[in-house]
Amino acid sequence: MSGEKPFKLINLYRHTALVEAVSYLILLLIAMPLKYIAGIPEPVKYMRWIHGWLFLFYFAVLIVAAFKYRWSILRVIYYLIASVVPFLPFLIDKKLKQESLTVK
C-alpha cells in the first residue's frame, strides 16, 4: 500500500486523451494509406470503430473532469478541437501533467 498513488480524474483524462490521439494517428497514418494506396479497406473499418468508441469514452471523461475541476467552456472546446488536430494532445499533456501535480 505504501507505493500506491491516489486516483486522480485528471490523470484518467490525460491517459484517455493520449490513447484516443494514438488511435486517431493510426487511423490517419496507417489505416487510411492502406485503404487508398494499397487498396486494403479493412484496417479503416476496424480502426474507425475502435477510434469511435475511444472518442466516446474520451468525451465522457472530458465532461466529468470539466465539472469536477470547473474548467471553463472555452477550455473544454479547446480540448475537443485538440482531439481532432494530430499531435496537439501530446503537447497539451505536458501542461496537464504539471496541473495534475497540484489538483486533488
Side-chain angles (χ1 to χ4, degrees):
M1 291 275 209
S2 62
E4 291 182 22
K5 294 181 182 178
F7 171 79
K8 289 185 182 179
L9 183 59
I10 196 166
N11 287 330
L12 176 62
Y13 172 73
R14 285 182 48 235
H15 292 100
T16 302
L18 292 176
V19 169
E20 190 273 338
V22 168
S23 76
Y24 187 49
L25 290 174
I26 291 170
L27 180 63
L28 289 178
L29 301 177
I30 297 172
M32 297 291 275
L34 284 173
K35 179 178 180 177
Y36 292 107
I37 296 171
I40 307 169
E42 290 80 12
V44 169
K45 177 182 175 182
Y46 297 115
M47 275 312 300
R48 184 176 55 201
W49 184 84
I50 292 167
H51 173 68
W53 281 107
L54 287 171
F55 183 80
L56 290 174
F57 184 68
Y58 163 80
F59 184 74
V61 173
L62 172 61
I63 297 304
V64 172
F67 278 105
K68 177 173 179 164
Y69 299 118
R70 297 183 176 161
W71 291 343
S72 71
I73 189 69
L74 290 176
R75 185 173 182 175
V76 172
I77 290 170
Y78 174 67
Y79 288 164
L80 284 172
I81 292 170
S83 73
V84 296
V85 177
F87 303 106
L88 191 53
F90 301 101
L91 298 175
I92 291 172
D93 183 61
K94 288 183 179 186
K95 180 181 180 286
L96 285 172
K97 188 173 185 178
Q98 287 290 72
E99 188 176 331
S100 75
L101 299 173
T102 61
V103 299
K104 293 182 180 184

